[in-house]
Amino acid sequence: MSKDTTVIREIQSEDNAPLEAVIRGCFHEFKIPLEGTAYEDPETKQMFEAYQNDNDVYYVVDKDGEILGGAGIKPLRDFEGNICELQKMYFSPKVRGEGFGKQMFEKCLNAAKALGYEKCYLESAPQLKAAIHIYESFGFTHLDGPLGNTGHFSCGVWMIKDL
């Protein structure tokens, strides 16, 4: 038998349904509010289509054809300035603790720099302690309130980093 192959690659249209299932599963697992979060964001159903501009990108974790997580970079909505937002970083329990969060994070930050962004912003939920620890270890600092207009009013953690 061949050994497992896990890659981080750009999203494809056939990844939409399995990725949506991973994202929605995390909300139930961590008891994150469904309203005012990515759970009810219309993009969650069509992630491939939502990341087809020149200034955004979305990556997935593909383990032998099974989609087990993802994260992306987009311009921060309704904000003047050269700031991107790290969006929809969620992972299946099947790949947590294997280093894919850090790899994905590095890939997204490198993409943000390559796309010419000066800063990266993110929002998270306080329940996602492991993710927040990763963000802090990469030099993200906490903000007192949100930037832009993400529509995710239930996210209580706001962070930013110079790229």
Side-chain angles (χ1 to χ4, degrees):
M1 289 192 79
S2 65
K3 104 186 201 346
D4 287 345
T5 309
T6 306
V7 296
I8 295 177
R9 61 166 173 77
E10 283 195 40
I11 192 168
Q12 298 167 0
S13 57
E14 61 269 19
D15 300 332
N16 279 352
L19 181 61
E20 179 187 358
V22 168
I23 292 171
R24 292 188 189 285
C26 290
F27 280 82
H28 298 296
E29 179 184 353
F30 290 99
K31 299 186 175 25
I32 303 167
L34 306 186
E35 286 186 17
T37 60
Y39 191 89
E40 62 175 22
D41 188 327
E43 286 186 357
T44 301
K45 284 184 179 299
Q46 50 185 9
M47 295 292 286
F48 172 77
E49 292 79 2
Y51 290 84
Q52 292 304 306
N53 302 297
D54 292 338
N55 57 354
D56 59 31
V57 65
Y58 195 91
Y59 299 105
V60 294
V61 176
D62 178 337
K63 185 171 185 174
D64 296 323
E66 185 180 7
I67 302 305
L68 296 174
I73 292 289
K74 250 191 183 193
L76 179 58
R77 185 186 307 158
D78 296 340
F79 190 82
E80 289 298 317
N82 196 7
I83 298 183
C84 66
E85 182 186 8
L86 178 78
Q87 295 187 335
K88 296 182 178 73
M89 186 158 122
Y90 295 98
F91 297 96
S92 162
K94 294 178 183 178
V95 289
R96 284 192 211 134
E98 295 182 23
F100 291 107
K102 285 188 175 163
Q103 287 178 46
M104 179 70 80
F105 205 54
E106 284 176 347
K107 195 161 183 80
C108 285
L109 291 178
N110 288 335
K113 286 180 201 166
L115 289 168
Y117 290 107
E118 294 169 11
K119 294 176 186 268
C120 184
Y121 169 77
L122 63 83
E123 296 180 339
S124 190
Q127 296 92 326
L128 302 175
K129 291 181 179 23
I132 293 166
H133 178 73
I134 291 173
Y135 305 148
E136 290 169 343
S137 74
F138 273 87
F140 274 76
T141 56
H142 289 266
L143 297 168
D144 293 332
L147 298 179
N149 179 22
T150 65
H152 298 168
F153 56 81
S154 291
C155 293
V157 176
W158 311 280
M159 302 179 83
I160 197 160
K161 173 185 173 60
D162 289 331
L163 295 173

